[in-house]
Amino acid sequence: MKAKIMGAGSYTPQKKVSNAMLEEIMDTNDEWIKSRTGIENRHISEGEDTSILCGKAALDILGKTGISAKEIDFIIVATMTPDGSSPSTACLVQDFIGAKPVMAFDVNAACSGFIYALSIAEKLIQSGAYQYGLVLGGEVMSKIIDWQDRSTAVLFGDGAGGVLLGASETENSFLGEDIHSDGSRGDSLTAGKRAVSNFQLEQATENGFLKMEGRAIFDFAIRSVPESIRTVVEASNSTLEDIDCIVAHQANYRILKAIAKKLKIPVEKFATNIAEYGNTSAASIPILLDELLTNGDLVLGSKKKIVLTGFGGGLTWGSMLIQL
Ligand code: ACO
């Protein structure tokens, strides 16, 4: 069987927090944030956890595609901010949307998570064992941010998005992929660290907040992502000119500009909504994809070629060439 993207959906919390609002709670300013990152607002959860954001994004996808929750055969959630270690966020989504007791599990590859989840989902559909699968990326980054640390607090936002994959005998949305990890550099972005603590050991002191060496991640992104995009495009016998749009993880507009420069393509080829949502980690690619489909910039069935590309903690990075 072939795997086809049937539609997308998303959900972001109502509460919008502008750079000016952050100025009131920390030593930062709109000019620094905008010029360094392109971020103007982010949406912050007022209590809804990751499973609720993902569940509402899933209902949006089902509404737009006309497929009922009872027809779903598996649910994968990419997240680095699950409600908890167990139950998985995907299991909570299965209950929230009223799906049958189908296979549901989480994937953690930080900001590359949606790419990893989509790759796995494509293989499940290709196996012929499943008709429909929900692939979601969702994060409540605000719960792992140290709100005293201005170097990370201004960057992230909360939200969820995803796509529905369906099995098809004729239509294939997936043309190639290039996906990697390098744990040896994992220390440059950590979150949720919990030291071993038990009856034999002293109390752990780690707080688990997200810590990032911003410059190291910036350099890693502008080195790895252009190479990955080039690899996936060339391996699929296409050229960069054949690509209509690049939907990249929304971490920093300056990163997108640097990637475009390295690839010698106009930055306008990169869709962006970072100004409105900030960095929503695993949710950023599907939220943007949904926005492009909703506003008509991308059209299902148009056969346009699109590169999805992500990078982040792990370190992880990867690209997929898809055709809508
Ligand atoms: N407001 C005002 N000033 C600030 C702020 C802030 N919010 N944060 C830092 N500064 C100051 C610093 O203290 C420093 O001051 P100093 O020169 O007096 O010491 C100055 O600004 C410059 O700081 P840098 O960290 O050097 O700034 P840089 O230009 O590198 O930008 C940034 C930082 C935006 C984090 C950038 O490095 C970046 O975007 N990195 C990539 C992050 C990323 O892509 N993450 C994606 C993965 S996330 C994931 O996987 C979950």
Side-chain angles (χ1 to χ4, degrees):
M1 290 306 280
K2 297 174 168 60
K4 184 186 172 197
I5 295 176
M6 317 278 297
S10 63
Y11 175 80
T12 49
Q14 298 277 305
K15 174 90 177 178
K16 188 162 151 164
V17 176
S18 67
N19 293 344
M21 289 159 84
L22 291 183
E23 283 178 25
E24 288 168 23
I25 57 167
M26 67 185 75
D27 179 17
T28 190
N29 59 79
D30 178 53
E31 198 282 326
W32 191 96
I33 302 171
K34 258 201 304 220
S35 63
R36 292 299 217 289
T37 69
I39 299 167
E40 296 174 25
N41 297 293
R42 69 286 291 144
H43 292 233
I44 299 290
S45 170
E46 293 180 281
E48 291 173 313
D49 212 337
T50 305
S51 63
I52 303 297
L53 303 189
C54 287
K56 290 185 175 181
L59 293 179
D60 187 39
I61 300 167
L62 297 174
K64 285 173 174 164
T65 55
I67 299 295
S68 87
K70 300 280 181 236
E71 294 174 87
I72 298 301
D73 299 311
F74 64 83
I75 302 167
I76 308 179
V77 172
T79 186
M80 64 182 287
T81 53
D83 292 26
S85 303
S86 182
S88 72
T89 313
C91 285
L92 296 171
V93 171
Q94 177 270 332
D95 178 45
F96 184 87
I97 65 172
K100 291 181 295 187
V102 295
M103 174 166 68
F105 60 95
D106 291 359
V107 167
N108 179 351
C111 300
S112 313
F114 186 72
I115 300 285
Y116 274 62
L118 197 56
S119 170
I120 296 165
E122 183 215 357
K123 313 301 177 289
L124 289 175
I125 295 281
Q126 273 181 354
S127 74
Y130 306 94
Q131 180 66 36
Y132 293 117
L134 276 172
V135 189
L136 304 161
E139 306 280 11
V140 177
M141 296 302 286
S142 61
K143 68 180 178 178
I144 61 162
I145 294 304
D146 177 356
W147 288 95
Q148 310 294 321
D149 174 13
R150 66 176 182 172
S151 70
T152 52
V154 302
L155 304 174
F156 294 92
D158 304 333
V163 296
L164 175 73
L165 292 194
S168 166
E169 283 180 1
T170 52
E171 292 179 83
N172 175 28
S173 297
F174 296 87
L175 306 180
E177 66 179 38
D178 173 71
I179 301 179
H180 303 277
S181 71
D182 179 4
S184 73
R185 292 186 283 167
D187 278 350
S188 48
L189 199 163
T190 59
K193 270 204 161 185
R194 241 170 120 166
V196 178
S197 168
N198 58 36
F199 66 93
Q200 316 162 90
L201 302 164
E202 286 186 18
Q203 204 61 38
T205 52
E206 277 166 321
N207 61 27
F209 286 133
L210 182 142
K211 288 196 202 94
M212 180 171 74
E213 291 168 28
R215 183 43 61 180
I217 297 290
F218 194 104
D219 292 344
F220 144 69
I222 64 172
R223 218 165 278 149
S224 311
V225 177
E227 192 184 320
S228 174
I229 293 175
R230 216 181 266 289
T231 302
V232 79
V233 169
E234 286 172 4
S236 316
N237 293 322
S238 299
T239 66
L240 285 169
E241 286 71 42
D242 300 331
I243 306 304
D244 292 288
C245 176
I246 300 175
V247 179
H249 168 49
Q250 303 288 294
N252 183 325
Y253 188 65
R254 281 196 305 159
I255 292 181
L256 301 185
K257 280 211 289 196
I259 296 169
K261 195 172 167 198
K262 276 208 160 175
L263 290 172
K264 299 192 178 67
I265 57 175
V267 69
E268 290 71 29
K269 219 164 206 172
F270 287 78
T272 181
N273 62 2
I274 191 167
E276 177 62 20
Y277 300 110
N279 178 346
T280 56
S281 184
S284 80
I285 293 173
I287 290 174
L288 181 52
L289 197 56
D290 178 46
E291 195 171 293
L292 295 166
L293 285 165
T294 303
N295 67 20
D297 286 340
L298 294 178
V299 179
L300 288 170
S302 63
K303 301 280 179 230
K304 286 196 167 172
K305 287 182 176 174
I306 294 143
V307 171
L308 309 180
T309 188
F311 54 91
L315 298 177
T316 54
W317 67 101
S319 306
M320 297 183 94
L321 179 60
I322 63 167
Q323 185 169 259
L324 287 180

